[in-house]
Amino acid sequence: MEKIPYKIYLEENEMPKEWYNVRADMKKKPAPILNPGTLQPVTKEELAHIFCEELADQELNDVDPYIAIPDEIRNFYRMYRPSPLVRAYCLEEKLKTPAHIYYKFEGNNTSGSHKLNSAIAQAYYAKKQGLKGVTTETGAGQWGTALSMACSYFDLDCQVYMVKVSYEQKPFRREVMRTYGAKVTPSPSMNTEVGRKINAEFPGTTGSLGCAISEAVEAAVTQEGYRYVLGSVLSQVLLHQSVIGLETSAALKKYGIKADTIIGCAGGGSNLGGLISPFVGEMLRGEADYEIIAVEPASCPSLTRGVYAYDFCDTGKVCPLAKMYTLGSNFIPSANHAGGLRYHGMSSIVSELYDQGLIKARSVEQTDVFKAATEFARVEGILPAPESSHAIKVAIDEALKCKETGEEKNIVFGLTGTGYFDMVAYEKYNDGTMSDYIPTDDDLKKYIAQLPQV
Ligand SMILES: *Cc1c(COP(=O)(O)O)cnc(C)c1O
């Protein structure tokens, strides 16, 4: 057998031509999303007020296993895909583990994360529908950056409502977006009714993601030719992110490698869902078996400590209700949490797979995450995003277990992005001032009690 190279690259013509829709192979499908007003399953027509037509179709499609990736999107993918599957030889040596560790690196583009995979798809369908532009919210800024790149490529107007505190604290993220032509507005703003109301009620507020979503949705529905787009959680986003898993599967096959354990970090579940989809498909069809681990922060533990129930996808309660593992849409992680992945719920697909026992979940504390990030950076070179480092932490834990058992298993994890804009969090870790906060059962009960009665 040929020695496995440091980086397994696919050829350009081996890049997937279709996305894989894992819902098609699920016997028990994720529960339908509901109209928050009527509590009835959302129709295509209702969704099309907020989302582009084709994206509304994709959101509701749980029957077609493969959906063609339009050439225009593949042309853009070609600028930064196929992304490498890296054999972490240096990390293995450092850990002295018999395990073989691989990571799929999605940080090789200017936005610095996997979010561009869906941003370009969503921008394409908006352009195809003849829209003028799209609106969205961004917290830390990765999604807004990816979307601004995608919109500039298709010459679409891009309006980003950025949580005010991030707008002020992350000026470089903001300037990247503006360089790509996006209009970035600190939220709450005076542009929208909901923004004016929140500003009047809470003068001087630094905003929240929920508030920014409400502003972005209002901006979309009140401007002719605009739609709202979202960077995670939705089934359409997981569909686009399946490109990660399809490439990973193809790269492993090229060298006859069978993954044993697959690990991904989980915020809203889009990179994890995309990475694992083709492998879960094999499990669902009875072709193979894998151990799959979703990793979440101990300070925002939706899978490990949440409930499986219908909830609002946004704090503003304007988006459809989804059945998911959730901490309640009013839950906000503790202020000392610096590791990202702060969404209160989890993709309905990932939630259903977890509920069926096809995937496991583990929560990790942020000081351990940054310790793993630092260890990884020092031997593998890449400065990982804090989000991605949750997966690194568990990959290292699993590799260390193999050291005890002597097991030569293949561990594959998703390295979703780079951490250049997260240096304030790294600074806290380096200064030794980072702390951990795990919510108590009473903390969690309070928000879970506020779930909508469906
Ligand atoms: C947004 C983000 C995540 C988390 O989002 P998912 O939808 O759970 O994938 C993870 N890593 C990076 C680098 C991100 O930007």
Side-chain angles (χ1 to χ4, degrees):
M1 191 76 185
E2 203 180 332
K3 181 171 152 59
I4 295 159
Y6 271 76
K7 285 186 181 162
I8 305 178
Y9 275 110
L10 296 175
E11 300 296 328
E12 220 175 86
N13 62 12
E14 292 173 298
M15 212 168 58
K17 295 186 174 60
E18 296 164 316
W19 291 301
Y20 171 63
N21 180 12
V22 69
R23 286 171 291 175
D25 281 318
M26 293 171 73
K27 279 187 203 81
K28 180 163 179 269
K29 315 273 183 198
I33 50 176
L34 306 181
N35 178 318
T38 63
L39 300 185
Q40 293 303 307
V42 166
T43 62
K44 160 94 191 285
E45 290 66 36
E46 288 166 341
L47 268 191
H49 291 301
I50 311 177
F51 300 128
C52 304
E53 299 266 341
E54 289 210 40
L55 293 169
D57 280 333
Q58 290 179 2
E59 194 60 35
L60 298 175
N61 185 340
D62 59 10
V63 294
D64 294 322
Y66 290 98
I67 294 174
I69 307 175
D71 284 343
E72 291 86 344
I73 297 175
R74 292 185 82 240
N75 284 342
F76 186 90
Y77 278 170
R78 262 188 262 273
M79 284 189 232
Y80 67 101
R81 309 203 69 84
S83 72
L85 181 70
V86 185
R87 171 78 184 269
Y89 280 116
C90 301
L91 181 62
E92 289 170 18
E93 198 175 301
K94 166 110 186 283
L95 300 174
K96 304 213 163 12
T97 173
H100 295 183
I101 308 174
Y102 299 85
Y103 57 90
K104 178 72 168 165
F105 182 47
E106 290 293 316
N108 261 338
N109 67 76
T110 297
S111 78
S113 83
H114 65 286
K115 292 201 171 66
L116 195 54
N117 299 331
S118 184
I120 193 63
Q122 298 193 45
Y124 166 76
Y125 291 116
K127 186 70 184 180
K128 193 176 164 210
Q129 196 175 320
L131 298 177
K132 287 189 202 130
V134 292
T135 71
T136 198
E137 78 292 334
T138 199
Q142 291 101 315
W143 167 245
T145 309
L147 189 68
S148 64
M149 290 176 70
C151 286
S152 69
Y153 183 74
F154 285 121
D155 194 21
L156 276 170
D157 189 33
C158 180
Q159 302 176 355
V160 181
Y161 286 85
M162 186 170 188
V163 178
K164 196 178 269 171
V165 60
S166 305
Y167 182 90
E168 283 158 5
Q169 287 179 356
K170 295 198 166 184
F172 295 152
R173 272 273 176 219
R174 182 183 79 207
E175 287 318 310
V176 178
M177 289 185 251
R178 286 177 5 120
T179 302
Y180 283 94
K183 208 174 294 151
V184 188
T185 306
S187 167
S189 73
M190 299 303 276
N191 291 6
T192 64
E193 205 164 298
V194 57
R196 287 189 290 272
K197 196 169 144 217
I198 290 168
N199 273 317
E201 239 172 90
F202 308 99
T205 175
T206 53
S208 71
L209 205 54
C211 166
I213 294 178
S214 306
E215 284 208 277
V217 173
E218 183 183 323
V221 298
T222 53
Q223 293 176 94
E224 182 72 36
Y226 282 77
R227 290 292 185 281
Y228 170 69
V229 293
L230 187 64
S232 181
V233 189
L234 298 173
S235 300
Q236 58 184 275
V237 181
L238 267 75
L239 174 73
H240 306 147
Q241 296 298 357
S242 69
V243 69
I244 304 173
L246 292 164
E247 284 184 9
T248 302
S249 172
L252 290 170
K253 277 200 190 107
K254 222 171 172 169
Y255 285 88
I257 305 156
K258 157 80 173 61
D260 295 300
T261 300
I262 305 171
I263 301 165
C265 64
S270 75
N271 87 83
L272 174 81
L275 171 66
I276 67 174
S277 276
F279 300 97
V280 169
E282 291 176 32
M283 291 166 83
L284 290 165
R285 298 188 301 268
E287 297 163 6
D289 206 12
Y290 301 97
E291 177 186 42
I292 296 175
I293 308 173
V295 190
E296 59 185 13
S299 52
C300 190
S302 52
L303 287 172
T304 50
R305 294 177 68 199
V307 292
Y308 193 29
Y310 270 104
D311 194 9
F312 294 100
C313 293
D314 58 313
T315 327
K317 302 180 172 37
V318 287
C319 293
L321 290 162
K323 188 175 178 196
M324 55 187 177
Y325 275 85
T326 180
L327 299 167
S329 64
N330 295 326
F331 177 86
I332 294 176
S334 137
N336 80 346
H337 175 66
L341 309 174
R342 36 176 64 245
Y343 187 63
H344 66 274
M346 185 57 62
S347 135
S348 61
I349 298 176
V350 170
S351 292
E352 181 57 34
L353 293 173
Y354 178 63
D355 200 56
Q356 292 181 20
L358 286 156
I359 65 178
K360 302 178 191 171
R362 214 175 278 177
S363 72
V364 291
E365 293 177 36
Q366 67 176 356
T367 47
D368 293 334
V369 167
F370 278 84
K371 180 165 179 271
T374 304
E375 198 168 7
F376 179 85
R378 289 181 185 180
V379 290
E380 289 290 322
I382 294 169
L383 179 77
E387 292 90 344
S388 324
S389 305
H390 288 72
I392 297 176
K393 161 69 182 149
V394 170
I396 290 178
D397 287 349
E398 289 300 303
L400 291 176
K401 274 188 210 158
C402 292
K403 203 164 147 177
E404 285 165 26
T405 60
E407 199 185 349
E408 265 188 50
K409 76 174 179 181
N410 292 318
I411 299 171
V412 177
F413 73 90
L415 189 70
T416 49
T418 46
Y420 303 117
F421 290 105
D422 300 288
M423 297 324 289
V424 173
Y426 274 97
E427 182 184 29
K428 277 195 193 129
Y429 176 74
N430 292 330
D431 286 345
T433 56
M434 179 173 275
S435 58
D436 294 310
Y437 178 77
I438 303 177
T440 64
D441 287 343
D442 282 343
D443 289 337
L444 295 181
K445 260 189 212 147
K446 192 167 83 196
Y447 298 106
I448 286 169
Q450 296 167 14
L451 284 175
Q453 300 300 312
V454 177

